[in-house]
């Protein structure tokens, strides 16, 4: 699913009105009605107090449409106009008149703290104060209103975006923003739902379809894309009946040092379950026995050194190489890595300590083949691109880094974002069960394994991140967040593949209904 910028959303609204020959008022009616339907389906007329807080722009207009429908359906509604400006949008005014026609209880005008109503914890707050039009600092009394919402502990439903958030920046203080339990977003999810610093402002989100022109969306090139099953299915390469192990390449996993051989075992096994034909592991001598015992399917090549890698030399021709897990950052290993990069022609995935070696000696970045995949966790990323001011600064710096060095950067985290040139691919799978040792090694093995099988490095990264997260989601039911470990994630990659082709469950039709039809 495409994640539209604010400008693209406004453009989409305008074009839709033109092409469907409807007014912006009608589009707002659609938007507000969708919100009403969402609430009505869940509330079924329950008489919980609903406080709808409307700004003076179109987000407020949506709130007024919703409030009118709630009044018409007999809900216990209180509507407020948060009067932070003397301006009013045209469609706000239209809907202000319309709500006055259906109730004697006109919206209460609020202009300072004294006007704040009492909100009980069991009430519902609808936040239609600011939408994507917020463009400057908010008045102090309005910030106090947001704090009043939060202090009330009432469930808060935000329309389009939690008020106080802008689509392309991080708020200065968490007191300047509405903390929503749920956000109903029009047309496109917003990037801020997926970033570490801003995702907390909406516990859950959902996109409501307001019928924006499909051709416009289809042709649109967006900076960010949300990656779910629909997006990875076209990437998947089916297997031919007469394929053989030679058809799926030979992966080489280079890593390990004394006490850290497990990382190589995990990556190599992950590469195998991703579907490669052959896997070899390159480890220091101390890794030979543990690897052969733990993973009989893999071949093992050893370094001359007993405890760490000192010279990466082999006489196979791997289709792709994953390097860096557990190798440490000592000088001999740095030199071995440098010499390896000077010789290497195979596509690369660089992870863990190899990333730290790149940060230690940045000249090595020039030796990476074009399209190399880097898979840093936040600390490794910081060593590569320097400190960032906030999440947007981080993404911009990563983008600049990706462009400069022609590499793909997989920014790992709760919503892993793969960055390549001008584009962000935001993953939707995965859960906090993955916050455990070795899951990054597994990811590296999967991505290296997919490149080995002939996937383009960018597709391999996006697909690999999806499969890895999906595997964790599948086993969540069995192991929960606490007891999930990296090996179980490897075991579940098979199910993640199978899930790609599962049809959504159809609603059960009773025999009586079948006979009727
Ligand atoms: N277009 C459509 O057809 C549809 C739009 N939809 C809805 O419209 C929403 C966007 O609406 P919007 O553009 O009117 O902006 P909104 O967020 O309501 O803000 C109001 C105005 O406040 C102002 N302002 C900004 N910051 C300020 C500040 N700090 N303190 C004081 N004032 C400030 C600023 O105006 P300015 O003063 O800069 O001229 C701004 O314009 C969108 O989120 C969705 O809910 C849906 O109905 C679908 C159809
Ligand atoms: N809260 C979370 N939600 C989803 N995925 C997570 C979460 N925390 C970590 N992960 C994922 O787990 C993996 C951890 O990788 P990394 O930090 O390199 O671990 P290790 O070095 O122990 O292998 C990454 O793929 C990351 O995206
Ligand atoms: K809002």
């Amino acid at each position: 699913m495409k994640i539209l910028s604010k400008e693209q959303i406004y453009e989409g609204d305008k074009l839709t009105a033109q092409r469907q020959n409807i007014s912006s008022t009608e589009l707002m009616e659609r938007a507000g009605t969708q919100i009403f339907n969402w609430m009505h389906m869940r509330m079924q007329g329950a008489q919980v107090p609903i406080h709808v807080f409307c700004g003076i722009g179109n987000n407020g207009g949506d709130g007024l449409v919703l409030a009118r429908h709630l009044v018409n359906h007999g809900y216990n509604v209180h509507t407020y106009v948060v009067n932070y400006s003397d301006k009013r949008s045209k469609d706000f005014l239209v809907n202000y008149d319309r709500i006055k026609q259906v109730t004697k209880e006109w919206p209460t005008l609020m202009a300072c703290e004294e006007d704040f109503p009492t909100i009980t914890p069991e009430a519902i707050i609808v936040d239609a104060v600011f939408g994507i039009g917020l463009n400057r600092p908010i008045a102090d009394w309005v910030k106090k209103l947001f704090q009043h919402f939060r202090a009330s502990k009432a469930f808060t439903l935000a329309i389009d975006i939690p008020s106080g958030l802008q689509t392309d920046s991080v708020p200065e203080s968490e007191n300047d923003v509405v903390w929503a339990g749920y956000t109903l977003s029009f047309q496109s999810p917003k990037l801020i739902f997926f970033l570490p610093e801003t995702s907390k402002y909406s516990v859950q989100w959902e996109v409501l379809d307001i019928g924006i022109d499909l051709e416009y969306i289809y042709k649109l090139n967006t900076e960010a894309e949300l990656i779910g099953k629909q997006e990875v299915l076209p990437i998947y390469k089916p297997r031919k009946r007469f394929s053989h192990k030679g058809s799926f390449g030979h992966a080489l996993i280079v890593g390990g040092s004394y006490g850290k051989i497990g990382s190589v075992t995990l990556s190599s096994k992950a590469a195998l379950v991703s579907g490669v034909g052959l896997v070899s592991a390159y480890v220091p001598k101390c890794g030979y026995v543990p690897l052969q015992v733990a993973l009989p399917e893999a071949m093992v090549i050893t370094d001359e050194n007993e405890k760490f890698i000192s010279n990466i030399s082999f006489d196979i021709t791997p289709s792709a190489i994953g390097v860096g897990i557990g190798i440490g950052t000592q000088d001999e290993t740095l030199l071995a890595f440098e010499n390896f990069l000077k010789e290497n022609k195979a596509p690369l995935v660089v992870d863990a300590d190899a990333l730290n070696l790149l940060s230690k000696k940045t000249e090595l970045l020039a030796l990476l083949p074009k399209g190399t995949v880097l898979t840093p966790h936040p600390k490794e990323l910081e060593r590569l691109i320097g400190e960032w001011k906030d999440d947007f600064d981080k993404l911009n710096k990563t983008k600049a880094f990706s462009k400069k060095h022609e590499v793909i950067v997989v920014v790992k985290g709760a919503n892993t974002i793969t960055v390549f040139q001008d584009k962000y691919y935001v993953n939707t799978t995965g859960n906090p069960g993955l916050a455990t040792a070795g899951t990054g090694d597994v990811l590296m093995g999967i991505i290296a394994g997919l490149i080995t099988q002939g996937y383009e490095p960018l597709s391999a990264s996006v697909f690999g991140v999806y499969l890895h997260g999906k595997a964790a989601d599948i086993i969540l039911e069995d192991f929960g967040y606490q007891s999930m470990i990296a090996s179980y994630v490897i075991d579940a990659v098979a199910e993640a593949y199978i899930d790609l082709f599962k049809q959504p469950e159809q609603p059960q039709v009773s025999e009586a209904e079948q006979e009727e039809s």
Side-chain angles (χ1 to χ4, degrees), residues 53 59 127-132 157-164 178 183:
F53 292 90
N59 195 250
D127 157 34
V129 181
F130 288 108
I132 57 171
L157 178 71
I159 297 190
D160 206 24
I161 184 170
S163 294
V178 169
T183 300

Side-chain angles (χ1 to χ4, degrees), residues 10 13 58-59 62 84 87 130-137 160:
Y10 280 128
D13 288 344
N58 288 342
N59 195 250
D62 296 336
Y84 51 73
K87 282 175 57 177
F130 288 108
I132 57 171
L134 179 73
N135 55 24
R136 53 185 182 273
D160 206 24

Side-chain angles (χ1 to χ4, degrees), residues 194-196 199 375-379 381 394 410-418 426-432 434-435 439-440 443 465 468-469:
F194 310 102
L195 304 180
S199 68
T375 52
H377 62 49
K379 211 66 219 158
L381 183 67
K394 172 174 80 178
V410 176
V411 179
K412 294 188 295 193
N415 282 104
T416 293
I417 302 183
T418 301
V426 183
N427 187 50
T428 50
T429 58
N431 62 68
L434 282 170
T439 51
L443 178 68
V465 169
H468 178 256

Side-chain angles (χ1 to χ4, degrees), residues 296-317:
E297 294 86 350
M299 295 172 282
V300 183
I301 310 167
T302 56
D303 194 275
E304 330 159 331
N305 195 289
E306 182 64 30
K307 295 193 169 173
F308 54 84
I309 287 176
S310 64
N311 176 28
I312 306 170
S313 146
F314 47 82
D315 58 4
I316 56 169
T317 312

Side-chain angles (χ1 to χ4, degrees), residues 12-14 16-17 20 22-32 62 210-212:
D13 288 344
K14 220 169 72 194
T16 302
Q20 298 177 8
I22 58 170
S23 64
S24 60
T25 317
E26 284 169 292
L27 195 58
M28 182 176 282
E29 187 65 26
R30 264 190 209 171
D62 296 336
I210 54 168
I212 296 301

Side-chain angles (χ1 to χ4, degrees), residues 185-262:
S185 207
F186 298 127
Q187 183 172 323
S188 156
K190 316 290 187 258
L191 188 56
I192 42 139
F193 297 161
F194 310 102
L195 304 180
E197 290 171 320
T198 48
S199 68
K200 63 185 174 196
Y201 299 118
S202 187
V203 180
Q204 292 192 71
W205 59 272
E206 194 174 316
V207 171
L208 295 184
D209 182 3
I210 54 168
I212 296 301
D213 186 70
L214 284 177
E215 192 190 347
Y216 170 72
I217 304 271
Y218 182 73
K219 289 187 175 160
L220 198 61
N221 187 16
T222 56
E223 182 184 46
E225 192 172 346
L226 200 61
I227 304 297
K229 195 193 278 194
Q230 293 316 313
E231 286 71 25
V232 298
L233 267 173
I235 299 178
Y236 173 80
K237 287 180 190 286
R239 285 204 165 187
K240 297 197 180 76
R241 185 161 160 69
F242 286 94
S243 52
H244 51 85
K245 71 171 181 259
S247 320
F248 304 111
H250 188 166
L252 177 66
I253 305 294
V254 180
S257 54
Y258 186 79
K260 289 185 179 159
I261 297 302

